Amino acid sequence: MVLTGGEIVIRCLQEEKVEYVFGYPGGSVLFIYDAMFKQDKFKHILVRHEQAAVHAADAYSRSSQKVGVCMVTSGPGVTNAVTGIATAYMDSIPLVIISGQVPTAYIGQDAFQECDTVGITRPCVKHNFLVKDVKDLAATIKKAFYLAKTGRPGPVLVDIPKDISNQKCEFDYPKSVVMRSYNPVTKGHSGQIKKALQLLLDAKRPMVYTGGGVILSDASSKLIKLVKRLGFPITNTLMGLGGYPATDKQFVGMLGMHGTYEANMAMQNCDVLLAIGARFDDRVIGNTAHFNEIQRKIIHIDIDPSSISKRVRVDVPIVGNVPDVLDDMLKQLDAIEAKSDPKQIAAWWQQIATWRAKNCLKYKHSDKLIMPQLVIEKLYEVTGGDAIITSDVGQHQMWAAQYYKFDKPRRWINSGGLGTMGYGLPAAMGAHFANPKATVALVTGEASIQMCIQELSTCKQFRLPIKIINLNNRYLGMVRQWQEMFHGNRYAESYVDALPDFVKLAEAYGHVGMQITKPGDVEAALRTAFTTHKNDLVFMDFITDQTANVFPMIAAGKGLSEMILAEDL
């Protein structure tokens, strides 16, 4: 079968059973779009900015078990997409980005809408390709999907010059991929697993710490089984929320810069730490020197060997796919007669109960001002804790993580590693397309929402019933908090003046808008949005207390046990 390069791209996507392509057409991808126009096996979602195309594909992947796909044109199309690509790269999200390029003869000549796509994206992709021969196109796309979803997942970009997309060759899509230089390990070393179990069963103060790797590898059910079997406390990172049920008594809350007092204290004071699919980043353990002051044995399970002993020294490294390793751990645990000392574990739980008694997430209530924490608590009640929640980045993101109890994986969709404002709305779009029957809500702030607010147009075109919870404090909230606490109340450029009327703005795009100013109206507004306007996009502008801060908090350069609590101020 002889096809053009554009037709080959479309056939490859069909072979991969792609459901949606998020994108924006332009000159260098017109042959591909023309071929797409002639098929009906997958749907194209026209966004209003290329950054949103990547964010939407990213969230589509996070909220499903599939590779997200997006398509952009050359030059500004690619550069607009870089923020989304870097966001996915930092959080290990499997994406395939197809970008157009100027014709091969023009490459390197500063042609119209030309940029060095391979060079620009190299630092923020798992791999990228520039296709120079149409005969290599099908095999390259096959490799892209394989690389994106195996090993440590990540975004893979395929750059296709315009002339390649119009040249013809026989189409033959490979059934499998063999790459000599890429053979990710999936099975953990049995000897290392045995060592890990011996350490865990001998521990007096054990702790389980898990991250986004548990979610991405679909290891939640096996994690729950292991933690229940061991009876140990467990904490999740921001990216790992939902990997273990937040309402379970063994869960001590999220850890890190805005984690709970009990999670951070248990993490700092444990004697054996089991880390699963996490990377000990700066927002999780704070100052590494402080973290290392306590002598503990560390077991680290991760698919990516470069993540092990990267920031802290690990005693028992186990490289492998998380569910495979957990499965082997459970099997070995069945064969071991030894058990943990129940008295030691009980004493450890008693200590954790003392830390829990501080009630570190308690906040002041008001009859006059809407507290942002209250909005999230009511959102949790109204949705029964069963919604997919996307967020932007800032105070609202942390409050959502703290007060919405995620019991299932792939329900919490946010930008962790890069911290990308503007992520939330296109992410909600992608999550809806992946889960059309689910309730999808976006928690955002008045600054973040304006960074990709043009996607309200996309939501109108595709009639997406997303519920937007805008915690509007008229400030760049997290910036203001840091300026208050560490910069002598000098609020340099953190006040957001000249805000739009969000109700009218939502209505201008054809959606429902609400403004809520009184605490007593919060629950009723949410219930109206999720019931009366179930099939509509509803923009809820909650005018919140401008002085509310996120606590607990660990200042930059401080350690896990050096938290600032609301009660300390």
Side-chain angles (χ1 to χ4, degrees):
M1 185 182 298
V2 177
L3 301 176
T4 67
E7 290 168 337
I8 288 171
V9 171
I10 301 308
R11 284 296 303 272
C12 291
L13 297 180
Q14 291 173 345
E15 291 288 333
E16 291 291 338
K17 295 182 170 50
V18 170
E19 292 180 307
Y20 295 99
V21 173
F22 301 87
Y24 203 100
S28 68
V29 287
L30 285 184
F31 288 118
I32 302 174
Y33 269 86
D34 190 50
M36 191 189 304
F37 182 80
K38 301 169 186 176
Q39 64 86 47
D40 60 3
K41 289 188 177 180
F42 62 82
K43 191 168 185 178
H44 180 271
I45 305 301
L46 176 66
V47 296
R48 301 318 190 249
H49 192 285
E50 290 88 353
Q51 178 181 341
V54 191
H55 288 332
D58 167 315
Y60 173 88
S61 177
R62 293 188 203 227
S63 61
S64 66
Q65 299 178 29
K66 301 169 184 174
V67 177
V69 180
C70 56
M71 191 177 299
V72 299
T73 194
S74 62
V78 168
T79 56
N80 281 347
V82 168
T83 297
I85 296 170
T87 299
Y89 178 71
M90 290 288 282
D91 290 345
S92 304
I93 307 304
L95 297 183
V96 170
I97 304 101
I98 296 171
S99 61
Q101 184 55 274
V102 299
T104 51
Y106 294 177
I107 293 175
Q109 296 186 21
D110 295 330
F112 176 67
Q113 289 194 334
E114 179 191 1
C115 70
D116 179 7
T117 298
V118 168
I120 288 170
T121 61
R122 183 176 286 119
C124 60
V125 293
K126 185 174 180 181
H127 195 66
N128 58 19
F129 300 91
L130 172 60
V131 182
K132 296 182 179 179
D133 189 328
V134 69
K135 294 176 183 176
D136 298 330
L137 187 52
T140 301
I141 293 176
K142 182 70 175 181
K143 288 178 183 177
F145 276 90
Y146 175 68
L147 287 168
K149 63 189 176 184
T150 57
R152 180 177 179 175
V156 179
L157 182 140
V158 181
D159 200 31
I160 306 172
K162 186 170 184 177
D163 57 317
I164 299 298
S165 65
N166 195 35
Q167 291 173 6
K168 293 184 177 181
C169 74
E170 285 195 9
F171 173 68
D172 180 24
Y173 197 59
K175 293 181 179 178
S176 60
V177 174
V178 177
M179 300 177 73
R180 252 185 339 177
S181 59
Y182 180 73
N183 293 289
V185 175
T186 57
K187 296 291 286 183
H189 190 281
S190 60
Q192 292 293 86
I193 293 173
K194 184 178 181 180
K195 281 185 190 177
L197 289 173
Q198 288 173 341
L199 282 175
L200 288 167
L201 295 176
D202 289 340
K204 297 178 180 178
R205 303 184 308 279
M207 185 70 178
V208 180
Y209 147 61
T210 71
V214 169
I215 309 287
L216 294 171
S217 64
D218 294 310
S220 179
S221 60
K222 290 178 181 177
L223 173 68
I224 293 168
K225 191 174 180 180
L226 179 66
V227 172
K228 285 293 182 184
R229 178 77 179 276
L230 292 171
F232 296 167
I234 178 172
T235 182
N236 295 157
T237 65
L238 179 73
M239 300 308 300
L241 292 177
Y244 189 88
T247 55
D248 188 84
K249 63 182 180 180
Q250 285 175 243
F251 184 66
V252 294
M254 180 179 73
L255 83 162
M257 179 171 278
H258 296 293
T260 66
Y261 184 76
E262 53 267 32
N264 286 339
M265 292 299 287
M267 182 79 166
Q268 180 66 15
N269 291 284
C270 67
D271 65 346
V272 175
L273 176 63
L274 173 59
I276 308 173
R279 55 190 178 89
F280 294 90
D281 71 89
D282 59 300
R283 289 296 173 108
V284 168
I285 64 166
N287 185 301
T288 52
H290 180 275
F291 183 71
N292 290 330
E293 286 177 2
I294 302 292
Q295 293 299 310
R296 65 177 74 76
K297 295 292 184 181
I298 299 177
I299 304 154
H300 193 176
I301 304 169
D302 205 287
I303 190 71
D304 180 9
S306 71
S307 290
I308 296 178
S309 291
K310 189 174 185 177
R311 297 198 75 235
V312 298
R313 187 184 65 81
V314 170
D315 300 282
V316 183
I318 304 174
V319 178
N321 191 33
V322 170
D324 291 332
V325 175
L326 294 184
D327 194 44
D328 288 342
M329 288 186 87
L330 286 163
K331 288 176 181 175
Q332 285 201 29
L333 201 54
D334 287 337
I336 295 174
E337 292 184 6
K339 294 183 179 180
S340 299
D341 184 339
K343 290 184 178 179
Q344 296 283 4
I345 302 302
W348 178 227
W349 272 112
Q350 190 173 1
Q351 173 61 69
I352 291 171
T354 302
W355 291 325
R356 265 181 169 160
K358 273 190 171 288
N359 193 12
C360 66
L361 295 181
K362 185 179 180 180
Y363 63 93
K364 66 174 184 178
H365 290 264
S366 170
D367 294 331
K368 297 180 180 179
L369 297 173
I370 295 176
M371 302 308 295
Q373 301 95 323
L374 172 71
V375 179
I376 304 301
E377 287 181 331
K378 292 299 180 183
L379 175 64
Y380 177 75
E381 289 178 21
V382 168
T383 60
D386 200 34
I388 294 175
I389 305 294
T390 72
S391 87
D392 274 300
V393 171
Q395 287 180 316
H396 57 269
Q397 176 190 28
M398 294 300 109
W399 284 316
Q402 290 176 330
Y403 293 93
Y404 199 101
K405 300 177 181 68
F406 296 95
D407 278 345
K408 298 176 184 177
R410 300 188 185 275
R411 301 297 179 95
W412 170 233
I413 313 294
N414 73 121
S415 169
L418 197 65
T420 306
M421 293 173 69
Y423 175 82
L425 180 54
M429 290 160 32
H432 174 80
F433 283 114
N435 306 271
K437 294 183 180 180
T439 299
V440 179
L442 159 65
V443 177
T444 186
E446 77 290 336
S448 282
I449 189 62
Q450 293 190 81
M451 289 200 171
C452 278
I453 202 162
Q454 74 283 340
E455 297 311 314
L456 286 174
S457 178
T458 307
C459 293
K460 180 61 178 177
Q461 179 179 347
F462 294 96
R463 301 185 179 184
L464 306 184
I466 294 161
K467 305 300 180 278
I468 299 174
I469 290 84
N470 185 40
L471 302 182
N472 186 347
N473 61 11
R474 290 82 73 206
Y475 271 105
L476 305 181
M478 192 61 83
V479 173
R480 182 204 57 75
Q481 178 169 337
W482 279 62
Q483 289 172 335
E484 174 188 324
M485 298 176 72
F486 310 118
H487 297 276
N489 295 305
R490 293 182 294 279
Y491 301 124
E493 302 303 320
S494 59
Y495 178 69
V496 183
D497 201 0
L499 286 173
D501 182 327
F502 286 111
V503 172
K504 290 182 179 178
L505 184 60
E507 291 173 347
Y509 276 105
H511 303 301
V512 176
M514 300 180 184
Q515 187 181 79
I516 304 94
T517 60
K518 298 177 181 178
D521 295 337
V522 169
E523 183 175 344
L526 287 166
R527 292 197 181 278
T528 298
F530 284 97
T531 54
T532 305
H533 296 291
K534 181 180 179 181
N535 298 319
D536 301 316
L537 185 149
V538 183
F539 193 118
M540 287 167 276
D541 187 25
F542 292 92
I543 307 303
T544 63
D545 181 2
Q546 288 186 286
T547 67
N549 287 331
V550 183
F551 292 109
M553 179 178 183
I554 300 172
K558 296 294 185 180
L560 281 176
S561 61
E562 298 176 304
M563 284 165 281
I564 302 170
L565 303 179
E567 66 185 41
D568 297 332
L569 299 176

